[in-house]
Amino acid sequence: EDQVTQSPEALRLQEGESSSLNCSYTVSGLRGLFWYRQDPGKGPEFLFTLYSAGEEKEKERLKATLTKKESFLHITAPKPEDSATYLCAVQPSNDYKLSFGAGTTVTVRA
Amino acid sequence: DSGVTQTPKHLITATGQRVTLRCSPRSGDLSVYWYQQSLDQGLQFLIQYYNGEERAKGNILERFSAQQFPDLHSELNLSSLELGDSALYFCASSVVSSGGEQYFGPGTRLTVT
């Protein structure tokens, strides 16, 4: 069964203090790894898709990377508006569903 | 705004009742996915439809069913509701039947009392 483990569970940062979130996964053949951002009471917002080891994607202060066993979401010089829960999900090559991790809740203080 | 719409936003009902949640996918998307999000279980995949046909099933209870109509909107029916069914229910859509990004709606918050 596909497994996705995110760490840490929570991260408190000072504005401008860069950090990384980890997503470890076990899947029988990876079709894609997805990062989403979710604000309280809202639907997840798509950020990135990564398909193969070594791939990197960037969007504003966020950068996602992928290896064969894990993915990292780097937040560079975060701002308070980056506060949210970041979710990682995998899609196996033999299925269509997304399996989500429990998420990392990031709080950025001004 | 993802372009996926869900109604209603909130639903409060009693145990044993039946409810219907509605989802309209983004324009052009043929796949619709339903997810349940609760505090203890996180986001769990329920079921996927592609162009009107069931494509994949997750841990969906027998009391729950879904369908996708010719206009591509989808409905999730929850019956014989229990307290444990209280959760956020999300619909997502994607262009293709396999792979690719899924775009989520704002969700329906179901409270069973």
Side-chain angles (χ1 to χ4, degrees):
Chain A
E1 188 174 313
D2 306 331
Q3 285 198 321
V4 182
T5 304
Q6 292 188 246
S7 61
E9 286 185 19
L11 193 57
R12 292 176 65 84
L13 300 172
Q14 200 66 35
E15 184 173 4
E17 179 189 0
S18 302
S19 188
S20 292
L21 284 55
N22 178 265
C23 170
S24 298
Y25 63 92
T26 304
V27 65
S28 53
L30 181 71
R31 188 195 303 274
L33 184 140
F34 303 82
W35 283 98
Y36 286 84
R37 168 197 169 120
Q38 186 175 26
D39 294 305
K42 304 271 182 77
E45 174 190 343
F46 170 75
L47 293 174
F48 304 108
T49 308
L50 301 166
Y51 292 104
S52 56
E55 192 175 358
E56 298 183 352
K57 293 268 180 79
E58 277 190 77
K59 179 180 178 179
E60 296 180 0
R61 295 176 293 281
L62 301 176
K63 179 179 176 180
T65 62
L66 180 66
T67 72
K68 287 189 176 178
K69 292 184 178 181
E70 57 192 350
S71 177
F72 294 93
L73 184 66
H74 308 277
I75 309 179
T76 302
K79 298 182 177 183
E81 52 261 43
D82 295 322
S83 297
T85 295
Y86 291 87
L87 298 166
C88 170
V90 296
Q91 186 174 48
S93 55
N94 62 351
D95 204 341
Y96 307 114
K97 69 175 187 181
L98 293 179
S99 295
F100 281 86
T104 294
T105 299
V106 175
T107 305
V108 183
R109 295 166 292 173
Chain B
D1 185 353
S2 67
V4 178
T5 61
Q6 289 186 249
T7 57
K9 289 189 73 170
H10 303 278
L11 204 47
I12 302 175
T13 189
T15 54
Q17 295 299 303
R18 172 190 165 96
V19 296
T20 297
L21 313 184
R22 183 189 168 104
C23 166
S24 292
R26 293 187 318 159
S27 176
D29 285 359
L30 299 179
S31 267
V32 169
Y33 310 77
W34 286 98
Y35 291 84
Q36 179 192 58
Q37 187 175 41
S38 57
L39 283 175
D40 56 342
Q41 293 285 323
L43 256 175
Q44 299 285 319
F45 168 74
L46 296 177
I47 197 165
Q48 178 203 359
Y49 277 81
Y50 175 74
N51 204 20
E53 292 189 6
E54 182 184 306
R55 185 57 64 97
K57 231 173 182 176
N59 297 324
I60 187 168
L61 299 172
E62 283 194 16
R63 301 182 285 108
F64 296 1
S65 65
Q67 53 185 326
Q68 187 179 27
F69 295 87
D71 67 352
L72 300 177
H73 92 271
S74 178
E75 293 180 356
L76 179 67
N77 300 296
L78 316 176
S79 62
S80 303
L81 285 167
E82 302 175 359
L83 295 177
D85 297 327
S86 296
L88 269 167
Y89 290 84
F90 290 106
C91 166
S93 73
S94 68
V95 173
V96 295
S97 67
S98 61
E101 299 85 39
Q102 295 179 22
Y103 292 87
F104 283 75
T108 293
R109 181 176 293 280
L110 174 66
T111 303
V112 183
T113 63

